[in-house]
């Protein structure tokens, strides 16, 4: 409830215009930038071409560890709390709810989460990722369930690329194929029997770094979404790169967001206890290496909501 209140306050344009972002919740961590918007069909940027956030009932989420709520079959998620020992809240690779859960909670949606830690778009493209989950299998599981969801009230979110981009340094640049496969799977979602109408794609491929191959991946996905939009599908694109740049760099830098440290707070991704925890665990950008804290997830949700509200 507090989180929802906080978000509503942030969305008041006056608060943004005056830079008076409230800090009473989210442990003092708050957005210090406003997402810049672009236009569908143009250069890749934050865009909302027709996705409405009101009247929605269900959020279907595909992705990797950033989106995984600790269960990946669309069913109710485990409690998003630390148990005092493990650094992973209910199996999530973070210490609380992930961004998709925050958005679902803000909008009053039931979340159906299919995301799996380590997932890529199509694992066949990446020999070094053999055995990992992918969008191909997440979508196949979703389809196999024959879920009956009203397309008018269901929001589909698709957030891949981080593991594809990192695999490309080992396996070569198969990001063009990954972009094509991602778009083909989205196209399948928009076809019978699912007939999805509202698609939100999110990206953070380089987690603060960028490369020509990664930028081309983003542009290919964005251009494909533009083509999809011209067939009557509502699409939105959320680019987290400017948020990462703003936190990691000096304009304005992490402290302006209320962080004490970029982190990670827990030093090793594979550790199973809290040994080595940082001094200010509620004010760290990364919780585990490369993985946002629950406060950062809250920030990502706010950022995505601002894109949906403002970028159309
Ligand atoms: C979805 O909305 C359209 C347009 O308002 C309407 O024609 C259609 O019947 C709705 N579909 C369902 C399943 O409610
Ligand atoms: C996954 O990639 C392989 C290798 O390029 C390709 O043969 C296959 O069609 C792709 N699958 C999907 C669903 O895109
Ligand atoms: C992380 O922990 C694993 C298992 O304990 C260990 O093998 C690895 O070397 C550690 N990595 C770092 C960077 O300390
Ligand atoms: C934390 O886990 C490591 C192995 O990852 C182990 O060596 C250490 O004893 C554990 N610490 C505590 C306090 O349980």
């Amino acid at each position: 409830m507090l989180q929802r209140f906080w978000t509503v306050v942030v969305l008041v344009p006056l608060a943004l215009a005056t830079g008076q972002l409230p800090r009473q919740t989210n442990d003092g961590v708050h957005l210090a930038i406003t997402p810049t918007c672009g236009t569908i069909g143009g250069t890749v940027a934050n865009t909302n071409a027709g996705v409405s956030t009101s009247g929605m009932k269900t959020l279907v989420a595909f992705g990797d560890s950033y989106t995984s709520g600790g269960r990946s079959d669309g069913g109710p998620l485990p409690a998003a709390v630390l148990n005092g020992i493990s650094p992973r809240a209910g199996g999530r690779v973070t210490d609380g709810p992930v961004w998709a859960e925050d958005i679902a909670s803000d909008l009053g949606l039931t979340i159906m989460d299919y995301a799996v830690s380590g997932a890529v778009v199509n694992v066949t493209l990446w020999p070094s990722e053999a055995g990992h989950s992918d969008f191909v299998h997440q979508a196949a599981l979703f389809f196999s369930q024959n879920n009956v969801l009203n397309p008018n009230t269901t929001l589909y979110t698709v957030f891949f690329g981080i593991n594809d981009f990192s695999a490309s340094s080992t396996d070569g640049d198969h990001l063009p194929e990954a972009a094509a496969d991602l778009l083909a799977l989205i196209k399948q979602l928009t076809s019978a029997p699912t007939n999805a109408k509202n698609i939100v794609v999110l990206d953070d491929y380089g987690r603060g770094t960028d490369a020509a191959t990664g930028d081309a991946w983003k542009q290919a996905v964005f251009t494909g979404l533009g083509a999809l939009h011209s067939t009557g599908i509502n699409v939105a694109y959320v680019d987290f790169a400017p948020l990462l740049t703003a936190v990691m760099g000096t304009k304005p830098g992490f402290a302006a967001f209320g962080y004490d440290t970029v982190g990670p707070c827990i030093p090793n991704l594979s550790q199973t206890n809290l040994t080595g925890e940082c001094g200010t665990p509620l004010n760290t950008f990364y919780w585990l290496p490369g993985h946002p804290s629950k406060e950062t997830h809250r920030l990502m949700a706010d950022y995505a909501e601002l894109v949906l509200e403002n970028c159309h």
Side-chain angles (χ1 to χ4, degrees), residues 41-279:
T43 302
V44 59
N46 294 306
T47 306
N48 182 359
V51 175
S52 168
T53 51
S54 66
M56 292 292 152
K57 289 196 165 67
T58 308
L59 189 155
V60 177
F62 300 102
D64 57 26
S65 56
Y66 276 42
T67 309
S68 174
R71 175 174 176 168
S72 53
D73 65 356
L77 300 177
V81 290
L82 295 176
N83 65 3
I85 302 163
S86 169
R88 301 178 177 222
R92 296 162 183 78
V93 194
T94 184
D95 56 334
V98 299
W99 68 272
E101 297 177 88
D102 289 330
I103 289 185
S105 152
D106 291 344
L107 302 181
L109 313 181
T110 299
I111 186 169
M112 296 174 67
D113 197 342
Y114 295 85
V116 179
S117 187
V120 292
V121 172
N122 177 356
V123 79
T124 309
L125 297 171
W126 311 111
S128 70
E129 300 293 307
H132 278 137
S133 168
D134 60 11
F135 188 18
V136 177
H137 289 87
Q138 291 176 25
L141 174 59
F142 171 79
F143 291 130
S144 77
Q145 294 173 332
N146 298 312
N147 298 294
V148 179
L149 296 168
N150 183 342
N152 294 344
T153 58
T154 307
L155 207 54
Y156 291 83
T157 67
V158 178
F159 188 177
F160 292 91
I162 293 175
N163 298 308
D164 298 80
F165 178 67
S166 65
S168 70
S169 66
T170 305
D171 297 325
D173 181 17
H174 303 302
L175 290 168
E177 298 99 298
D181 293 351
L182 181 106
L183 290 163
L185 289 162
I186 290 174
K187 180 87 185 157
Q188 202 182 336
L189 284 170
T190 64
S191 308
T194 305
N195 297 313
K197 274 189 180 171
N198 300 291
I199 308 283
V200 181
V201 174
L202 307 96
D203 196 278
D204 187 22
Y205 80 80
R207 292 184 281 197
T209 65
D210 52 58
T213 55
D215 289 349
W217 137 268
K218 289 203 309 192
Q219 186 62 55
V221 170
F222 189 73
T223 300
L225 287 178
L228 196 60
H229 179 59
S230 67
T231 70
I233 306 298
N234 304 316
V235 298
Y237 190 92
V238 178
D239 182 9
F240 287 119
L243 175 61
L244 273 284
T245 302
V247 170
M248 301 298 172
T250 55
K251 292 178 187 168
F254 63 84
F257 289 81
Y259 291 115
D260 290 328
T261 174
V262 166
C265 183
I266 304 294
N268 189 323
L269 188 55
S270 54
Q271 73 186 72
T272 54
N273 59 40
L274 298 170
T275 299
E277 184 180 24
C278 63

